[in-house]
Structures are given as structure tokens and as C-alpha cells.
Amino acid sequence: MERRGIQTNLGNLNRDIVSANRLFDSIRRVIRDLKNWLADLSEKIGEQMAQKPEEQNLAEVLSAYMTLRHDGRSDWSRAGQTKAQVNDLKKMSAAIIFLQSHDITTVQKLGAHLDEARATANSLRNQIRSNDRRSSTIDAIIEAAAVVRELKPLHDQYMKIGWKSKKEKFAGEHADELQRFNRAFRLLKKYEVALPLDVKPLRTEQAALKKSSAELTAQLEAVQASLDELKQVRW
């Protein structure tokens, strides 16, 4: 029974090794195709301008990185090496497909794409925050207008009191209402809101802001996904 178990484990290990070798051969073909594509592209670019020596070919960098990772596992078990190699090959295959689809051929281009993606993501976030702040301001304006409308008669009554003692007594009895009125009045003055307030244009603007934020959020998610891919490739 023990011998049969050992044979089973060896059989599983052999299958893993065969599977890994097949996957490795497949990735090697992808790399070879990518290198051929890059060579053709470099030749076309070279007709117009000389390639800068510091422009590192990403396919070569990735290939060298794979070799370093493989060599660094020389003291691992055969099973551990196989498992790690299969995982690396899957990641590298995904990276090459992503790079080809985005026409990223050098380390410098990868950095440029990262910078561009970060800038776009930051711009979208800032626009969403701006929309959200304006939407919150609209809510505050509408609420403040309602408070002023509600408490204006009380405030007018307070302002008409001539006697200081009576005025102070009235203010003490209605301190919360007067404070609410003053806060609301100051907010409307800050945003130069004329009364009576027409709420409809503000609600229309708010609906447009929310729609814009939803669209921007969808764009941000797409950019963030691309940025995550770029970061993974750079890593």
C-alpha cells in the first residue's frame, strides 16, 4: 500500500511537471512571437529615429526576470519549483497579453502609462468629489431657505422689539430658533442666494451632478482596473 501511494504521488508529480512544461513551451512561443513583433516594430521606428539605448525592451526584461526567479529556487523541492513556475508562467502570459493590447513595448512606456493612468484616476476622483460637494451644498441651500422661511416671522418679531430688556428676554426664550435662523441666513448670504428660492433649477442641477458622478465612477473603475494591471506588470 505504501509503495502504491508513492507511485501515485510520483504519477501526480510527473503530470504536474508535464503540464508545467507544456505551459512553459506555450509561454515561450508567446514570448517568441512578441519578440518578433517588437523586432518588426523597432525596425519601423528605427527608420524614423534612432532608438535610445536606455529604452529597455519589456519582453527581454520579463524573460530575464523569469530566469532570475527560476534560478532563485534551485534549493526548492521539485514539487515546489513546479508549482511556483506554473504560477509565474500564468502571470507572465497575462502580462504579455496586456502589454501587447496596450502597445507597451518598453519599460519607459510602462512608466508613462502608469503616470497617465494615475493622472486620469486622480482627475476623475477630483471631479466626483467636486460633484458631491456641490450636491451637498444644494441640499444645504434648500434646507437653509426652508429654515429662513419658517423662522422669518419670529426673527422679524424679535427685530421689532425696542426695549432692551424685552428683547433679551425674547432672545432667551427663543435662542435655538434664532440661532437656526442666523446660521441659515449666513449660509444663503455666503452663496448669494436670493429669496424666495426656486428649488426646481437646483434639483435639476443636482440630478445632473449625480448622473455625472455615476458616469465618472464607471470610468474610474475602468481606469483603476487598468492601473492595477500596470502595477502588477511593473511588480
Side-chain angles (χ1 to χ4, degrees):
M1 291 294 293
E2 183 179 354
R3 182 178 182 184
R4 184 179 301 174
I6 293 173
Q7 289 176 340
T8 300
N9 290 334
L10 287 174
N12 292 335
L13 179 58
N14 288 334
R15 281 194 293 273
D16 289 340
I17 293 171
V18 170
S19 177
N21 288 335
R22 287 176 179 172
L23 182 57
F24 184 65
D25 289 340
S26 176
I27 299 302
R28 288 178 63 183
R29 286 194 294 271
V30 172
I31 295 172
R32 185 185 64 241
D33 292 342
L34 177 59
K35 285 184 175 181
N36 291 336
W37 169 69
L38 289 173
D40 293 340
L41 182 63
S42 297
E43 184 177 352
K44 292 177 182 178
I45 294 175
E47 295 174 357
Q48 300 178 3
M49 57 181 294
Q51 184 179 7
K52 296 179 180 179
E54 67 272 15
E55 290 184 348
Q56 297 169 294
N57 184 298
L58 264 179
E60 295 176 356
V61 173
L62 286 171
S63 180
Y65 178 62
M66 286 287 290
T67 300
L68 283 174
R69 287 176 65 83
H70 178 269
D71 293 345
R73 303 185 184 114
S74 59
D75 58 343
W76 289 25
S77 68
R78 181 67 177 177
Q81 289 185 38
T82 300
K83 183 176 180 180
Q85 186 179 27
V86 170
N87 187 49
D88 280 354
L89 290 171
K90 288 179 179 178
K91 289 183 178 179
M92 186 171 181
S93 178
I96 290 173
I97 292 171
F98 178 83
L99 293 171
Q100 281 185 296
S101 65
H102 290 77
D103 191 29
I104 302 175
T105 57
T106 66
V107 174
Q108 286 67 29
K109 280 190 176 182
L110 177 61
H113 275 264
L114 268 168
D115 292 341
E116 183 180 353
R118 286 197 190 98
T120 301
N122 289 335
S123 176
L124 290 170
R125 289 192 194 96
N126 290 336
Q127 291 178 58
I128 293 171
R129 291 192 190 103
S130 178
N131 287 351
D132 291 345
R133 284 195 297 268
R134 177 56 183 170
S135 183
S136 297
T137 297
I138 289 174
D139 285 335
I141 288 172
I142 293 174
E143 182 181 355
V147 170
V148 169
R149 183 174 61 251
E150 174 192 352
L151 298 178
K152 190 174 187 306
L154 180 69
H155 183 266
D156 289 345
Q157 183 181 350
Y158 167 74
M159 294 301 293
K160 290 177 181 177
I161 298 175
W163 294 95
K164 182 178 180 182
S165 58
K166 279 188 174 184
K167 200 165 190 176
E168 290 176 348
K169 181 181 178 182
F170 187 92
E173 293 172 347
H174 301 280
D176 291 342
E177 295 97 321
L178 292 173
Q179 287 177 5
R180 286 179 58 211
F181 176 89
N182 289 330
R183 284 197 299 267
F185 186 82
R186 286 195 298 270
L187 187 142
L188 295 176
K189 185 177 180 180
K190 174 182 177 181
Y191 292 104
E192 300 179 349
V193 177
L195 298 174
L197 179 66
D198 185 0
V199 175
K200 187 176 180 180
L202 288 175
R203 288 304 188 196
T204 300
E205 179 188 354
Q206 191 176 53
L209 289 169
K210 290 181 178 179
K211 180 180 178 181
S212 173
S213 289
E215 293 172 350
L216 291 171
T217 299
Q219 294 177 37
L220 179 59
E221 289 173 353
V223 172
Q224 188 61 52
S226 178
L227 183 57
D228 291 342
E229 288 278 5
L230 288 166
K231 288 179 178 178
Q232 177 63 26
V233 173
R234 184 185 65 174
W235 178 86

